[in-house]
Amino acid sequence: MSFSALLRSARRPAALSAAVALALVSGAISASAQAMMRSPTINMPSRVPTLNPGAAMRTPGPGSGIGLRPALPTARFSPNLQTSCSPPDRSASGECLRRPPQTADGGPDRETSNGGRSGKPKSVKAAQRRAPQATAAAGPNIIAGELVAELDGNLSPDQADALARRHGLQRISSQSFPLIGATVGLFRITDRSSIAAVSRRLAADRSVRSVQPNYRYTLQQSAPPAEGDPAQYALTKLRLPEAHRLAQGSNVTIAVIDSGVDLKHPEFADAAFDAFDALGGDEMPHVHGTGIAGVIVSHKRLMGSAPYARIIAIRAFGVAKKGGGPESSSYVILKALDYAALHGAQIVNMSFAGPKDAVIERAIAAVAAKDVVMIAAAGNAGAKSPPLYPAANPNVIAVSATDTRDQLLPASNRGNYVALAAPGADIFLPAPDGKYQIISGTSFSAAYVSGLAALVLERNPALKPETVRTVLTRTARDLGAPGQDELYGAGQADALAAVQAVASPQDGPTVSAAPAAGLPRDEEQHAAPVRELRPASAAAMATGDSPAEGGVRPAQQ
């Protein structure tokens, strides 16, 4: 054997050992307003007398919790905390479907996390961990050229502007959000860099804690139907006239995050409203926001689900383009949730949908921690849509839509996150300028359930959100396949069964798990006469059955 061969033979075990050692060391290290609308001719006698404006309402105050305060006799407009903007390049609303991560040119981005600049660079992986959602390119669910970033709370506005300039950005707005204990800024990309590249550079900055795209949200209404019934069939379906003998939403505050509401509509006369504009500007009231408020507090020609509830009307959706539907964004929705939580909302109605969004998920968790009931539209993207948010968040009650025949609205989303259903097809509602509309969508189903939640909380304000969910789902009337299903959830909501299942505080222990007490799935519901609304009182509550053991009342069928 030659000397070189002997040498190679001697080296092989050592090389193998080194490779094994290296392998062991490496292993160890290693968010569409889709509503259908048409304006019918109305010739209806007044069904309900004017409500008593002196009924006790809940009024918010800065930093207030949940307590009883005097009613607001007229609408009050709150000052805007910080102006935002609607970029001119927003498109008309569409389905909120997630897109695979890519750069603006459609290919992978190869820039480093510090953009090749000098200083103390951080690894690409570290920056990506701080910006887990920031690698997506602009698409239908992302507002082009905008980023939302959590900033060091000690930064002054001038320092935030300097931070933006360092990374080729313009600061649109920034403010402190007590709800999530963070300072969040909205930035626009001023050069041609991709969202992914700028996100990684920004996330690597010591003054930035997290970065994500500014996601787009759309209201959940559908296209106009071929025909519709202008009668309020939802009243009979939900057994609202009977339920209003026990509760009408008094002393309960509902935040409605939506488009602008026509507070001067006759249906809202003497209703208690607070208003906050999270967008800024002078946009006129919109059909969607006015309709959502009408589902809950109408009380002249129409009957709302909780006519004595107090509404915080938060304008968070505006028309970005002529001919397009109202849209909102991560940053504006965060402002809306922050305002609702700080001003005493007990229920938040979210009749909009979008993609899963880290900053909004964080805000919803914070709202849930304050024992606020959150209700959202399941979405109008149809059977093939992935889960939409915020409805798919486990802290939120997701509502699908049914029609006059108790069939699922074809556009309604479905999935195991759907909690229950409510009427949402051809709903007869107020529209701006004193007009009326027939409109469809899961938006309005969610609003009906928000009103039902207010009836439940009027009966017992101490109930936790999970108990309210239990009451609503266990008293629902089963539809579709027996038991829980992906179309109707637990079934169609039943207002009378829900309020009967909850004992008022003076009656004894609160309900913890209400039994199913709604109408049987095959029992026909007969039209109930519309009864006169009257303020909730001990006498009105006394018309119900005596409380059963544990504070649960049996349903009257």
Side-chain angles (χ1 to χ4, degrees), residues 335-363:
K335 291 174 68 174
L337 287 169
D338 184 78
Y339 187 90
L342 293 178
H343 289 79
Q346 296 159 271
I347 300 166
V348 177
N349 184 86
M350 300 178 288
S351 291
F352 54 84
K356 192 171 185 178
D357 181 333
V359 70
I360 300 305
E361 292 283 287
R362 181 176 172 187

Side-chain angles (χ1 to χ4, degrees), residues 134-216:
T135 58
N141 60 338
I142 292 176
I143 296 177
E146 292 189 3
L147 294 172
V148 174
E150 181 182 351
L151 307 176
D152 185 333
N154 295 321
L155 286 183
S156 67
D158 288 342
Q159 289 173 323
D161 287 336
L163 167 71
R165 289 191 295 270
R166 287 200 303 271
H167 298 286
L169 299 168
Q170 175 191 359
R171 181 175 67 92
I172 301 172
S173 177
S174 62
Q175 71 179 66
S176 173
F177 290 95
L179 174 64
I180 59 174
T183 298
V184 178
L186 176 63
F187 299 89
R188 178 181 291 123
I189 299 173
T190 57
D191 56 24
R192 295 187 177 182
S193 298
S194 67
I195 288 179
V198 178
S199 296
R200 288 199 297 271
R201 292 201 303 264
L202 189 60
D205 195 292
R206 293 182 181 275
S207 299
V208 178
R209 297 176 180 175
S210 66
V211 184
Q212 69 165 64
N214 196 21
Y215 288 108
R216 175 178 285 110

Side-chain angles (χ1 to χ4, degrees), residues 221-258:
Q221 59 185 33
S222 310
E227 59 184 36
D229 181 2
Q232 281 194 284
Y233 74 91
L235 302 181
T236 300
K237 295 290 184 182
L238 298 171
R239 298 205 288 175
L240 277 168
E242 298 93 332
H244 284 165
R245 296 189 63 185
L246 298 176
Q248 296 149 22
S250 297
N251 303 322
V252 180
T253 298
I254 305 174
V256 172
I257 301 176
D258 216 282

Side-chain angles (χ1 to χ4, degrees), residues 53-70:
M57 300 288 176
R58 183 183 301 271
T59 304
S64 63
I66 297 177
L68 300 181
R69 296 184 177 86

Side-chain angles (χ1 to χ4, degrees), residues 367-389:
V367 173
K370 294 179 178 292
D371 290 333
V372 176
V373 178
M374 288 175 285
I375 297 167
N380 294 346
K384 296 183 179 180
S385 171
L388 296 180
Y389 290 82

Side-chain angles (χ1 to χ4, degrees), residues 35 54 61 131 137 211 273 293 298 322 358 523 549:
V211 184
F273 274 96
S298 288
K322 187 176 181 180
E523 182 174 339
E549 184 178 356

